[in-house]
Amino acid sequence: MTALMKVARVYDFDDVRIEHMPRPAVGPRELLVQVKASGICSGDVTPWYIKRKAGKVLGHEPAGVVAEAGAEVTGFRVGDPVFAHHHAPCFACKFCEKGEYVQCATWKASHIVPGAVAEYFLVPEVNLRDTLRLPEGMSFEDGALVEPAACSVKAIRKARLHPRDTVLIIGLGIMGQMNVLLARQAGVERIIGADLVDWRCAKALEFGADAVINPAREDLVERLGELTAGAMADVVIVGPGSVPVMELGIRCAGKGGTVVFFMGSSPGERLAVEPFHLYFNEIDLVMSYSCGPDDTRAALQCIAEGVLTAEKLVTHRYTLEDTGLGFRKMAEAQDVLKAQIIFP
């Protein structure tokens, strides 16, 4: 008789159902992982994204224990605590050779089965390429931060920070706070955060930001100009996938600046830019989508070193049965950074 497991399946923005489905069978070069902690991604509560994923088991920020290892698997054994990335590249195509792993066709097609908000998930052979054993003593909550932390690691790397930079981080949810912590670790001269929620602004100050701006009460461009004596920001990291905020981020960049778009907009939207302004001020627009194997390994190291930890960043914890509450809490985007589903 096939063993069943419980999963959280998302049908719409406010329709998360706990269902039963067969536990995945394990092939000779695959792992079965019993989930211990699984994060709810900010993207998981984006309406356009959910509509594209309706009917699927979401979740791609897992940590757990190897419950079964295929006969031909080497490097992992039953009982190992692991993180498994939901995508993994081929390491052979031109994109992989350039380190652009997220453009690899294998990366795009690969995924854990059925998703990470489930009692168990299968790690296919290809995903073993970005499955990491957690260091001894690391909690599963910390392990479940590897994927989102890796996204921030990549964005900070692509921003090409300089010690004398003033960095503006727009959006101080979980990813913005990670960007604050990593920018501070990088040793930049000044970090300024911006968010509409005072609670999140206060968190950014706690995590090392030098100043914060709430655009609900102050004009962001004007206040930034005051704080920088008109020089504006050397690096702007735009968290929200909002075209008006992206355009605002460009206005906040100073001469020779870099604007990093951390999240994509809804499909079909258009961004208005003035090439004259970008060209003569040499402002770079940089995209940072997801993360690859180099980033997950760097993220795991940051977590092991205590730079990014669940103690700092996980504010809400839920059982599998209460997954819907966790999704709603993340969607409210108020006094929450990271919500995780915790399993016994």
Side-chain angles (χ1 to χ4, degrees), residues 234-258:
D234 301 293
V235 172
V236 181
I237 303 178
V238 181
S242 159
V243 168
V245 179
M246 293 173 179
E247 293 173 349
L248 181 62
I250 294 173
R251 292 172 57 203
C252 289
K255 296 180 184 299
T258 299

Side-chain angles (χ1 to χ4, degrees), residues 36-114:
K36 292 298 183 179
S38 185
I40 299 175
C41 174
S42 305
D44 287 343
V45 296
T46 302
W48 69 263
Y49 180 83
I50 286 181
K51 289 185 182 301
R52 294 179 64 177
K53 300 294 183 180
K56 295 185 177 181
V57 178
L58 290 183
H60 54 262
E61 301 178 5
V65 175
V66 174
E68 186 177 344
E72 299 178 26
V73 171
T74 60
F76 297 97
R77 59 185 180 183
V78 172
D80 281 347
V82 295
F83 152 82
H85 196 188
H86 60 304
H87 294 305
C90 70
F91 290 111
C93 69
K94 70 174 183 179
F95 295 113
C96 287
E97 288 179 358
K98 295 190 294 183
E100 299 289 347
Y101 299 111
V102 302
Q103 303 306 324
C104 168
T106 299
W107 188 95
K108 292 178 181 292
S110 58
H111 59 89
I112 59 176
V113 182

Side-chain angles (χ1 to χ4, degrees), residues 47-293:
W48 69 263
Y49 180 83
I50 286 181
K51 289 185 182 301
R52 294 179 64 177
K53 300 294 183 180
K56 295 185 177 181
V57 178
L58 290 183
H60 54 262
E61 301 178 5
V65 175
V66 174
E68 186 177 344
E72 299 178 26
V73 171
T74 60
F76 297 97
R77 59 185 180 183
V78 172
D80 281 347
V82 295
F83 152 82
H85 196 188
H86 60 304
H87 294 305
C90 70
F91 290 111
C93 69
K94 70 174 183 179
F95 295 113
C96 287
E97 288 179 358
K98 295 190 294 183
E100 299 289 347
Y101 299 111
V102 302
Q103 303 306 324
C104 168
T106 299
W107 188 95
K108 292 178 181 292
S110 58
H111 59 89
I112 59 176
V113 182
V117 188
E119 291 182 308
Y120 294 86
F121 67 84
L122 183 75
V123 183
E125 179 181 359
V126 64
N127 290 78
L128 290 177
R129 298 170 184 167
D130 203 3
T131 297
L132 308 178
R133 186 183 292 103
L134 301 183
E136 184 177 353
M138 180 176 287
S139 72
F140 291 112
E141 292 182 20
D142 279 337
L145 287 177
V146 170
E147 194 275 343
C151 294
S152 281
V153 165
K154 178 179 176 179
I156 293 295
R157 170 171 53 83
K158 296 191 77 171
R160 305 187 305 275
L161 299 182
H162 184 276
R164 295 183 64 181
D165 278 345
T166 290
V167 179
L168 172 65
I169 297 171
I170 302 177
L172 298 172
I174 177 61
M175 305 313 300
Q177 302 291 352
M178 285 187 173
N179 291 335
V180 168
L181 288 162
L182 289 175
R184 179 50 62 211
Q185 182 200 33
V188 298
E189 189 167 285
R190 180 163 45 178
I191 301 170
I192 301 170
D195 199 282
L196 298 170
V197 179
D198 286 334
W199 183 87
R200 293 183 170 192
C201 288
K203 276 292 181 182
L205 291 172
E206 178 184 330
F207 291 152
D210 299 287
V212 291
I213 303 168
N214 186 330
R217 291 195 298 274
E218 301 178 278
D219 182 279
L220 177 57
V221 176
E222 181 179 321
R223 181 59 180 148
L224 179 64
E226 292 172 354
L227 290 171
T228 61
M232 308 306 283
D234 301 293
V235 172
V236 181
I237 303 178
V238 181
S242 159
V243 168
V245 179
M246 293 173 179
E247 293 173 349
L248 181 62
I250 294 173
R251 292 172 57 203
C252 289
K255 296 180 184 299
T258 299
V259 180
V260 179
F261 291 166
F262 195 89
M263 187 171 179
S265 67
S266 299
E269 292 189 316
R270 296 289 183 268
L271 179 70
V273 298
E274 182 187 358
F276 180 93
H277 174 73
L278 297 180
Y279 182 82
F280 283 101
N281 289 286
E282 293 192 310
I283 295 173
D284 293 335
L285 300 185
V286 174
M287 311 300 136
S288 187
Y289 163 52
S290 193
C291 56

